[in-house]
């Protein structure tokens, strides 16, 4: 995931699929029902899975087996009066005997497309067209409009026996009939400026009548039905200098989407599994249908079912061509989408809906390999660094204590990330994992801030005498601040918006409502503060170097310490900045830099603060020397003890 709309710190460590060894040959030989990826790996076709349930494989004897979606654990639900039928490489739903789809099709894909009803012979296609063209109603109340629509749905024989073109024609006529009847009803009683009726089983209607010019600039009318809404500017309703009242109607159809479903999408093809995930809504104005709006209308749709992961949303409208119709994206634009709602904008008024489709995202396997190898080395080095800080007595001081806490926090954060970032099956567990990652990464940056402050105080000690009292205060406060401040931030975030911990495809912070800033804001602040501290340290050292030649050795020690802190600031700070910069043509380069640097944090800490430390090398050398002397003593003792009883034997052999 690349770009500023996603959290920058973890965006290129989220791919946790199994990484296989890449082939060196230029092509791959894949089994039946599989195809080659990047000339290096094989992957099973949709509807199949490998013997070992691996997404990508190279083992030549691996085969792809059909997935039975109708049996547990998947158990596709087709809705009432229907059953799932497994086929090779897929599945479909069929109505039970005695039932037929209103669209006339023999099969469908999910319960959202289920319109299975018992067949009757009480009407014909011609009768249905007559009813929709000439509804028997008196347009004086919205209840009559609802009853008319119900009568159109009840006479469903033409839908069950007609072709797809006949269904499209019928749907176009129904939409126009209901719109016309609702607007005529509103204009018949202009004194009732707001009329509404809600029928959860069929249709909900809300109408507004505007009799005056817009009272203020930018005035917007909002209409709501069935948790769907439309916002339209007043000027587009009044339409200039038109005399008399103007009416706007907003209509939500509960079941119409089952009839004019995603199969009517003009861009649908066999590879895309597209389905309707909202009610069909209509927005219309009378006396003049304004085909060109001065400002776009904003439509909000509640999803029929929560938006799954790896789906993309399409905003579509019912495009009428004569009496026919189909779903089209022309003039409809996606503004925002989350798990429960989609917000669209449109440059015209019509009937609208939201379609969902699988999004085919390419994966960068090189980034996966870098992530796994880098984090593996980082975890090992962080563990070795923590053990060194604990066991090497000669280097234990306040600075080493801060290094130790930083290593522990990073080790736990990387380990949890590597093993649990994709544990999204149990929502509560995923939220806990996201909260733990939030806390551990915030704690890492907090300890980085404390290290910067400690280095500043160390450098300041060169010019200020009463340093010890400040140092004692810092020793007392660093643990409450290092672990307490992140805990407070996470506690407030969890208490205010607990539902935003965890997403559908990863256990991290949700991007909705700006929740990611509960992590980014303190991190950016810490990086800025450390940068200022670093510049102050350089200024202090420059002054001291120019005035105190007798203390060159002391200055060199502090300069080395500052250099190490600078490198650590670069690793922690620059890494996350590179995540923010993953936009535009340089996104790929920034992604690789981010992944390489971020995954090697532990390696760098162990290298700088352990391997390059003279005290640590001396301590390690003493351990090896002591171990060598111990082994020599043990060997000599054993040789001396065994030599005496061996002499008679060797003497006899000689």
């Amino acid at each position: 995931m690349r770009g500023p709309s996603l959290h920058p710190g973890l965006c290129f460590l989220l791919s946790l699929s199994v990484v296989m060894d890449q082939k060196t040959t230029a092509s791959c030989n894949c089994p039946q029902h599989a195809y080659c990826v990047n000339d290096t790996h094989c992957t099973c076709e949709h509807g199949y899975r490998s013997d070992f349930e691996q997404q990508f494989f190279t083992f030549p004897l691996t085969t792809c087996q059909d997935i039975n979606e109708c049996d547990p654990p998947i158990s596709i639900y087709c809705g009432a009066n229907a059953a799932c039928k497994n086929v090779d490489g897929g599945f479909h739903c069929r109505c039970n005997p005695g039932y037929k789809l209103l669209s006339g099709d023999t099969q469908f894909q999910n319960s959202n497309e289920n319109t299975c009803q018992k067949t009757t012979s009480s009407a014909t296609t011609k009768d249905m067209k007559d009813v929709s063209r000439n509804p028997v109603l008196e347009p004086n109340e919205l209840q009559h409009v609802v009853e008319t629509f119900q009568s159109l749905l009840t006479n469903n024989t033409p839908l069950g026996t007609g072709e797809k073109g006949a269904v499209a024609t019928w749907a176009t006529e129904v939409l126009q009939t209901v719109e016309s009847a609702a607007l005529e009803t509103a204009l018949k009683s202009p004194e009732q400026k707001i009329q509404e009726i809600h029928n959860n089983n069929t249709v909900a209607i809300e109408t507004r009548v505007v009799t005056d010019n817009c009272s203020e600039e930018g005035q917007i009318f909002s209409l709501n039905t069935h948790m769907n809404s439309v916002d339209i500017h007043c000027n587009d309703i009044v339409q200039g200098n038109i005399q008399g009242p103007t009416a706007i109607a907003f209509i939500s159809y509960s079941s119409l989407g089952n009839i004019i479903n995603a199969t009517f999408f003009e861009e649908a093809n066999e590879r895309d599994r597209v389905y309707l995930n909202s009610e069909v809504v209509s927005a219309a104005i009378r006396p003049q249908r304004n085909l060109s709006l001065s400002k776009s209308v904003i439509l909000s749709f509640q999803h029929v079912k929560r938006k799954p992961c790896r789906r993309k949303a399409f905003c579509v409208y019912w495009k009428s061509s004569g009496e026919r119709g189909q779903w089209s994206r022309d003039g409809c634009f996606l503004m925002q989408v989350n798990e429960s709602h989609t917000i669209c904008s449109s440059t015209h008024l019509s009937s609208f809906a939201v379609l969902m489709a699988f999004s085919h995202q390419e994966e960068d396997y090189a980034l996966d390999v870098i992530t796994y190898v880098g984090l593996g080395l980082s975890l090992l080095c962080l563990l070795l660094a923590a053990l060194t800080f604990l066991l090497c007595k000669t280097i234990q001081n306040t600075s080493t204590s801060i290094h130790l806490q930083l290593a522990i926090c990073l080790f736990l954060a990387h380990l949890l990330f590597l093993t649990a970032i994709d544990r999204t099956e149990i929502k509560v567990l995923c939220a806990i994992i996201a909260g733990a990652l939030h806390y551990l990464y915030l704690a890492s940056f907090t300890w980085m801030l404390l290290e910067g402050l400690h280095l500043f105080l160390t450098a300041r000690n060169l010019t200020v005498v009463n340093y010890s009292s400040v140092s004692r205060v810092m020793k007392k406060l660093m643990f409450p601040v290092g672990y307490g401040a992140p805990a407070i931030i996470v506690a407030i975030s969890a208490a205010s918006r607990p539902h935003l911990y965890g997403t559908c495809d990863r256990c991290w912070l949700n991007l909705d409502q700006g929740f990611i800033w509960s992590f980014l804001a303190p991190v950016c602040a810490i990086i800025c503060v450390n940068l200022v501290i670093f510049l102050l340290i350089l200024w202090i050292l420059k002054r001291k170097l120019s005035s105190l030649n007798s203390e060159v050795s002391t200055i060199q020690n502090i300069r080395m310490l500052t250099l190490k802190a600078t490198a650590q600031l670069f690793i922690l700070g620059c890494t996350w900045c590179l995540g923010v910069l993953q936009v535009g043509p340089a996104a790929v380069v920034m992604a690789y830099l981010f992944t390489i640097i971020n995954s090697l944090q532990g390696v760098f800490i162990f290298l700088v603060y352990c391997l390059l430390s003279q005290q640590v090398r001396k301590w390690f050398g003493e351990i090896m020397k002591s171990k060598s002397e111990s082994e020599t003593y043990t060997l000599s003792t054993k040789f001396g003890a065994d030599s005496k009883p061996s002499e008679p034997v060797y003497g006899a052999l000689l």
Side-chain angles (χ1 to χ4, degrees):
M1 289 169 285
R2 303 163 186 160
S5 62
L6 299 175
H7 71 87
L10 300 176
C11 52
F12 281 96
L13 300 178
L14 291 176
S15 298
L16 296 179
S17 58
V18 178
V19 180
M20 306 297 295
D21 293 334
Q22 294 189 351
K23 290 186 176 181
T24 57
T25 57
S27 62
C28 48
N29 185 19
C30 298
Q32 186 180 11
H33 305 305
Y35 59 92
C36 189
V37 179
N38 294 335
D39 292 332
T40 57
H41 297 76
C42 294
T43 186
C44 293
E45 296 175 353
H46 181 75
Y48 296 87
R49 62 184 167 204
S50 66
D51 299 333
F52 303 102
E53 297 187 358
Q54 296 176 339
Q55 184 178 3
F56 304 101
F57 56 89
T58 57
F59 186 59
L61 299 182
T62 302
T63 60
C64 293
Q65 306 294 332
D66 174 58
I67 301 174
N68 191 339
E69 294 87 351
C70 299
D71 289 344
I74 302 178
S75 300
I76 294 294
Y77 175 67
C78 293
N81 306 318
C84 177
K85 172 68 174 177
N86 185 67
V87 295
D88 197 23
F91 71 95
H92 59 254
C93 297
R94 298 180 67 93
C95 295
N96 293 336
Y99 293 83
K100 287 187 177 181
L101 291 170
L102 295 181
S103 63
D105 295 333
T106 59
Q107 61 189 44
F108 54 99
Q109 285 298 315
N110 53 58
S111 59
N112 189 46
E113 301 176 4
N114 185 335
T115 59
C116 297
Q117 295 187 13
K118 283 190 175 182
T119 57
T120 62
S121 57
S122 58
T124 63
T125 304
K126 182 177 182 300
D127 295 332
M128 178 58 62
K129 292 182 179 180
D130 292 340
V131 172
S132 60
R133 288 196 181 100
N134 302 296
V136 182
L137 61 90
E138 296 179 2
N140 54 9
E141 57 179 273
L142 293 181
Q143 181 61 39
H144 289 161
V145 181
V146 174
E147 292 174 356
T148 301
F149 178 71
Q150 290 175 332
S151 68
L152 296 176
L153 287 181
T154 302
N155 294 281
N156 55 40
T157 301
L159 301 181
T161 58
E163 298 179 351
K164 190 174 180 179
V167 174
T169 301
W170 175 89
T172 300
E173 294 175 346
V174 167
L175 292 170
Q176 294 174 353
T177 298
V178 176
E179 284 180 16
S180 178
L183 291 169
E184 289 179 7
T185 299
L187 292 173
K188 192 77 173 181
S189 304
E191 68 280 359
Q192 300 183 28
K193 293 192 174 182
I194 300 178
Q195 298 186 50
E196 56 184 349
I197 185 170
H198 296 275
N199 188 315
N200 293 330
N201 296 324
T202 53
V203 64
I205 305 173
E206 180 176 342
T207 62
R208 297 282 184 94
V209 176
V210 180
T211 56
D212 303 320
N213 291 329
C214 301
S215 59
E216 58 186 34
E217 185 69 22
Q219 183 180 1
I220 295 176
F221 286 91
S222 296
L223 289 79
N224 301 270
T225 56
H226 282 182
M227 302 301 292
N228 306 307
S229 66
V230 62
D231 295 338
I232 184 170
H233 287 262
C234 176
N235 290 333
D236 287 319
I237 300 177
V238 176
Q239 304 170 22
N241 297 320
I242 293 180
Q243 301 296 322
T246 304
I248 178 174
F250 185 61
I251 308 164
S252 291
Y253 302 90
S254 300
S255 56
L256 193 57
N258 296 331
I259 302 173
I260 48 174
N261 50 41
T263 61
F264 291 86
F265 184 38
E266 63 180 0
E267 301 178 26
N269 56 65
E270 294 182 359
R271 292 195 61 184
D272 291 329
R273 293 181 58 187
V274 184
Y275 62 93
L276 206 68
N277 200 27
S278 73
E279 294 183 347
V280 176
V281 303
S282 295
I285 294 175
R286 187 170 288 190
Q288 177 180 342
R289 295 179 64 89
N290 200 346
L291 300 179
S292 179
L293 303 176
S294 62
K295 295 183 179 180
S296 298
V297 295
I298 307 300
L299 298 128
S300 176
F301 298 87
Q302 184 182 45
H303 296 160
V304 174
K305 56 184 179 181
R306 298 184 71 84
K307 177 183 176 291
C309 295
R310 294 174 294 277
R311 303 290 198 277
K312 56 183 177 182
F314 299 107
C315 299
V316 296
Y317 83 103
W318 187 252
K319 181 179 180 180
S320 301
S321 177
E323 292 184 345
R324 304 285 292 273
Q326 61 183 351
W327 293 116
S328 173
R329 292 197 292 174
D330 296 341
C332 297
F333 306 96
L334 177 67
M335 297 181 62
Q336 184 179 348
V337 61
N338 57 31
E339 292 184 358
S340 60
H341 285 80
T342 294
I343 299 178
C344 305
S345 67
S346 176
T347 57
H348 53 80
L349 295 179
S350 181
S351 298
F352 304 92
V354 172
L355 297 177
M356 292 288 179
F358 283 91
S359 59
H360 306 286
Q361 298 180 347
E362 297 183 359
E363 298 181 3
D364 195 327
Y365 303 107
L367 284 176
D368 291 346
V369 173
I370 293 172
T371 297
Y372 275 97
V373 173
L375 280 184
L377 289 174
S378 186
L379 287 173
L380 176 61
C381 291
L382 286 171
L383 179 61
L384 294 175
L387 292 175
T388 303
F389 297 147
L390 283 171
L391 299 177
C392 185
K393 303 296 183 182
T394 59
I395 64 171
Q396 289 183 354
N397 51 35
T398 303
S399 179
T400 305
S401 179
I402 294 176
H403 294 334
L404 174 61
Q405 305 310 315
L406 176 59
I408 291 174
C409 291
L410 280 177
F411 178 84
L412 294 176
H414 288 339
L415 182 63
L416 183 62
F417 177 88
L418 199 60
T419 58
I421 189 68
D422 61 346
R423 303 295 183 183
T424 59
E425 298 85 0
I426 304 175
K427 191 172 183 180
V428 175
L429 177 61
C430 183
I432 295 174
I433 294 171
L437 286 172
H438 188 194
Y439 174 77
L440 289 172
Y441 278 112
L442 281 180
S444 299
F445 276 94
T446 304
W447 283 106
M448 184 63 190
L449 173 63
L450 290 173
E451 179 165 352
L453 293 173
H454 178 262
L455 289 170
F456 173 72
L457 294 176
T458 304
R460 188 170 175 266
N461 185 37
L462 299 172
T463 56
V464 179
V465 178
N466 57 346
Y467 162 75
S468 58
S469 60
V470 178
S471 179
R472 286 195 298 270
V473 171
M474 183 171 181
K475 288 181 180 179
K476 292 180 180 180
L477 294 180
M478 67 179 187
F479 280 96
V481 172
Y483 290 109
I488 293 174
I489 295 175
V490 174
I492 294 175
S493 302
S496 60
R497 297 170 183 174
H499 60 286
L500 295 181
Y501 275 104
T503 66
C504 60
D505 60 349
R506 63 188 182 276
C507 298
W508 181 238
L509 309 187
N510 202 307
L511 301 178
D512 294 342
Q513 304 176 30
F515 190 62
I516 189 64
W517 285 102
S518 64
F519 174 73
L520 288 183
V523 166
C524 293
I526 289 173
I527 293 174
C528 293
V529 171
N530 274 351
L531 181 60
V532 173
I533 289 175
F534 169 65
L535 295 176
L536 289 175
I537 291 174
L538 290 181
W539 179 70
I540 292 173
L541 292 178
K542 181 181 179 181
R543 291 183 57 190
K544 193 64 176 177
L545 281 171
S546 61
S547 60
L548 297 176
N549 294 328
S550 61
E551 300 181 15
V552 170
S553 61
T554 303
I555 297 297
Q556 286 177 343
N557 291 335
I558 300 301
R559 184 170 56 188
M560 177 59 68
L561 192 60
T562 305
L563 198 59
K564 293 178 180 179
T566 304
Q568 192 175 61
L569 175 64
F570 176 81
I571 289 296
L572 291 177
C574 182
T575 296
W576 300 79
C577 292
L578 289 174
V580 177
L581 296 176
Q582 293 174 25
V583 293
V588 176
V589 176
M590 293 300 175
Y592 274 89
L593 289 176
F594 166 82
T595 305
I596 293 171
I597 296 174
N598 190 51
S599 61
L600 294 176
Q601 291 176 348
V603 177
F604 186 85
I605 291 174
F606 179 66
L607 177 67
V608 172
Y609 290 100
C610 296
L611 296 184
L612 297 182
S613 171
Q614 293 181 356
Q615 292 173 302
V616 172
R617 292 202 304 269
K618 182 179 178 181
W619 168 74
F620 186 73
E622 291 175 353
I623 292 178
M624 297 303 295
K625 182 179 179 181
S626 175
K627 182 178 180 182
S628 177
E629 291 176 352
S630 176
E631 290 178 350
T632 302
Y633 174 77
T634 303
L635 182 61
S636 63
T637 303
K638 181 178 180 182
F639 179 79
D642 294 342
S643 60
K644 289 184 178 180
S646 300
E647 288 178 355
V649 176
Y650 289 110
L653 290 174
L654 293 172

